[in-house]
Amino acid sequence: MKETLRWLPIAPLGIPHAAAEDDAHNGYFIPKGSLVFGNSWSILHDPVAYPEPERFLKDGKLNPEVRDPGVAVFGFGRRICPGRHFSDNAMYILTSSLLSVFDIGPPLNQRGQPVLVTPQMTSGLLSTPVPFKCTIKPRSTVAEALIRDTQMDEVVIG
Ligand code: HEM
């Protein structure tokens, strides 16, 4: 799950901030009012910290020597994302719930053979996946019954 955040982060350049005062960093003068971007993409694709950074390494986070992508995915310093713990937990619950009942795989061609999906993201301050096809099937008849059990025919609000 952490690897999905590292591989294709939704805020590749974070959220820009303005320097409140003249400042200096590593010999660079940063005049008051300058827009400063934290380049999360570059940090998360540093080949020293993450070998083969363009590849999705499905066991990446399990290796304790791999730097936690949380160092850059959620921004930095005082304005770091306050929703990061909520989002980590929500993503864990959502992903594990979906994978426990569904088999999710590549789309199939007319002969029923899997088609390779090339991941593409939108460009911009926020980067999200370009729509793609996939197959989603219940993992078993028991899983299907469970899914149908949770279906709500009517949602009453208020
Ligand atoms: C994978 C999910 C998420 C990612 C990758 C993410 C990423 C970010 C980033 C990069 C920033 C900018 C931090 C900075 O200025 O350096 C941010 C700010 C913020 N995020 Fe998130 N976020 C996520 C989920 C959430 C959730 C679930 C919430 C609320 C429940 C949330 C609430 C906020 C708020 C309120 C700010 C502004 C904080 C401030 O400027 O003081 N985020 N987030």
Side-chain angles (χ1 to χ4, degrees):
M1 209 183 67
K2 295 253 181 191
E3 176 66 354
T4 60
L5 295 173
R6 182 206 66 81
W7 183 46
L8 299 170
I10 60 153
L13 289 176
I15 303 290
H17 294 283
E21 300 297 340
D22 285 354
D23 204 350
H25 182 70
N26 266 2
Y28 288 93
F29 174 60
I30 305 167
K32 176 178 176 179
S34 304
L35 267 189
V36 180
F37 290 78
N39 192 340
S40 303
W41 174 272
S42 171
I43 295 169
L44 298 169
H45 290 78
D46 172 1
V48 176
Y50 307 106
E52 296 186 80
E54 305 298 331
R55 273 189 50 210
F56 179 81
L57 300 174
K58 57 181 164 49
D59 298 331
K61 185 60 190 83
L62 298 180
N63 179 349
E65 283 169 22
V66 173
R67 187 171 67 190
D68 188 331
V71 296
V73 163
F74 295 106
F76 314 91
R78 276 188 299 177
R79 305 303 291 271
I80 194 169
C81 174
R84 61 195 188 283
H85 304 295
F86 175 84
S87 112
D88 270 353
N89 287 312
M91 284 192 336
Y92 178 78
I93 292 167
L94 180 67
T95 310
S96 50
S97 301
L98 285 174
L99 293 181
S100 69
V101 288
F102 289 112
D103 268 332
I104 302 175
L108 304 178
N109 66 17
Q110 285 172 338
R111 279 184 266 153
Q113 295 157 333
V115 177
L116 188 69
V117 177
T118 308
Q120 277 184 294
M121 299 290 278
T122 60
S123 62
L125 195 63
L126 285 184
S127 172
T128 56
V130 171
F132 60 93
K133 293 193 170 156
C134 64
T135 54
I136 302 178
K137 293 182 300 187
R139 292 175 77 98
S140 63
T141 48
V142 175
E144 183 177 350
L146 189 63
I147 297 160
R148 290 191 188 283
D149 252 11
T150 60
Q151 186 178 326
M152 285 186 278
D153 293 328
E154 194 181 343
V155 178
V156 181
I157 298 172

